[in-house]
Amino acid sequence: MVNTTSSTRRPFDPRSKWAELSQAERSAAYDNNAAVKNSPALIAERNEASARLRGTLRSHLDLPYGERANNKIDLYPAAKPDAPCLVFVHGGYWQRNSRELFAMLVEGVAAHGWSVAIPGYSLAPEVSLTDIVADIPRALDWLAAHGAAYGVAGPVILSGWSAGAHLVAMALNHPRVHAGLALSGVYDLAPIRDTGLNTALKLTDEEIATLSPLRLPVTNKRLDIAYGGSELPALVCDSIDFHEKRAAAGAPGQLIAIEGADHFTILEALRRPDGVLVKAARRLLD
């Protein structure tokens, strides 16, 4: 079931009593792996499918767009160079995962004649979140300058999952981006500093103020925001709050609640050619 109305049920947000919670309880509020009991199996299947597809799909892999080791992008061009392109930014709380592990998402939009680009990006603790956020516009700059040479020249829908959704929100104003699709994102960094995730991130006051989409002026470009109905409440509330902030400012975009989906199974809606989020991505071209 999919809900795209503004009447989506808001769960109890543990951050409303944040000061009363222990460090362990605060970390648990963002621990998607622990919250989804079969997450190891879901992650293993995702990684295996991506390894299999990455080796068989028509592609240009490991193209450097910057100087750091993870500044590489994988391109999966469609038959037509001017086809729409889904640029997908992976998640992992800005400190784990890589572009190679998400090649399984290519099949969804590729079935409709789209290209796909999957950029990697630098990770904490080797670099700061400020550096990580800067990587995505750098990848988009490279795509604008060089994509056509690899058969990728159509309009870009920028999508991302989890930490990748945060990076999508931060890069939405890039001129190469037509619209965005953010999945299961974190849009306020302040609570993250109070969790174990901050051991690697080492967030500063300035980063919380300038890199939290919920604390920044709204980008007036279409952004659909999706989340799973079985996600952790903190992530659900961030998605609802970010959509409401944008709607109040008159920015276009839908809030898409996928009932029954958790933080990992929501990706199936972008992986399947008939998936709800594939349909959402295609509507963003209208």
Side-chain angles (χ1 to χ4, degrees):
M1 179 180 177
V2 179
N3 187 339
T4 58
T5 72
S6 59
S7 60
T8 304
R9 181 179 62 84
R10 180 188 295 269
F12 173 76
D13 189 343
R15 298 170 300 184
S16 65
K17 58 173 186 176
W18 206 236
E20 302 172 23
L21 301 183
S22 66
Q23 172 78 29
E25 289 170 324
R26 292 175 178 180
S27 293
Y30 286 91
D31 192 341
N32 295 297
N33 290 52
V36 179
K37 300 307 180 185
N38 64 332
S39 61
L42 293 171
I43 292 168
E45 191 281 329
R46 178 197 73 197
N47 294 350
E48 290 166 6
S50 292
R52 183 172 62 253
L53 287 169
R54 194 169 184 264
T56 59
L57 294 169
R58 177 173 178 250
S59 61
H60 303 285
L61 304 177
D62 306 319
L63 300 170
Y65 70 81
E67 297 179 355
R68 298 193 185 100
N70 284 358
N71 290 166
K72 293 183 173 65
I73 189 168
D74 292 343
L75 302 182
Y76 301 89
K80 297 180 179 180
D82 61 349
C85 178
L86 182 78
V87 176
F88 182 81
V89 185
H90 72 77
Y93 277 130
W94 310 277
Q95 55 197 277
R96 56 180 177 265
N97 289 331
S98 65
R99 69 191 186 282
E100 297 94 336
L101 302 179
F102 293 85
M104 90 299 183
L105 292 174
V106 173
E107 289 185 308
V109 295
H112 300 279
W114 285 41
S115 296
V116 177
I118 307 180
Y121 54 88
S122 305
L123 300 174
E126 284 74 21
V127 300
S128 69
L129 188 58
T130 299
D131 294 325
I132 294 169
V133 168
D135 273 353
I136 305 307
R138 188 175 295 119
L140 292 167
D141 287 345
W142 183 93
L143 189 65
H146 304 287
Y150 295 93
V152 180
V156 164
I157 301 300
L158 182 62
S159 183
W161 166 73
S162 197
H166 163 267
L167 297 174
V168 165
M170 294 301 298
L172 187 64
N173 63 351
H174 192 280
R176 189 68 177 86
V177 174
H178 178 76
L181 177 61
L183 286 58
S184 306
V186 176
Y187 305 111
D188 186 5
L189 299 175
I192 296 291
R193 186 163 60 178
D194 299 326
T195 73
L197 295 168
N198 199 49
T199 301
L201 291 168
K202 297 179 174 60
L203 293 169
T204 66
D205 288 342
E206 182 178 3
E207 286 177 322
I208 289 170
T210 62
L211 303 180
S212 293
L214 273 167
R215 297 168 182 258
L216 296 173
V218 166
T219 298
N220 192 25
K221 187 181 290 187
R222 181 162 176 181
L223 176 67
D224 282 6
I225 298 169
Y227 66 90
S230 297
E231 300 243 25
L232 286 168
L235 273 66
V236 172
C237 291
D238 261 19
S239 292
I240 295 172
D241 289 344
F242 190 34
H243 171 74
E244 289 180 349
K245 175 183 174 71
R246 287 178 47 81
Q254 286 190 323
L255 180 66
I256 305 172
I258 302 181
E259 299 303 328
D262 60 42
H263 193 69
F264 298 96
T265 58
I266 191 173
L267 289 173
E268 289 299 308
L270 191 60
R271 179 180 182 180
R272 299 191 313 270
D274 64 346
V276 169
L277 295 179
V278 170
K279 294 175 182 176
R282 297 176 70 196
R283 285 196 303 269
L284 289 172
L285 293 172
D286 296 342

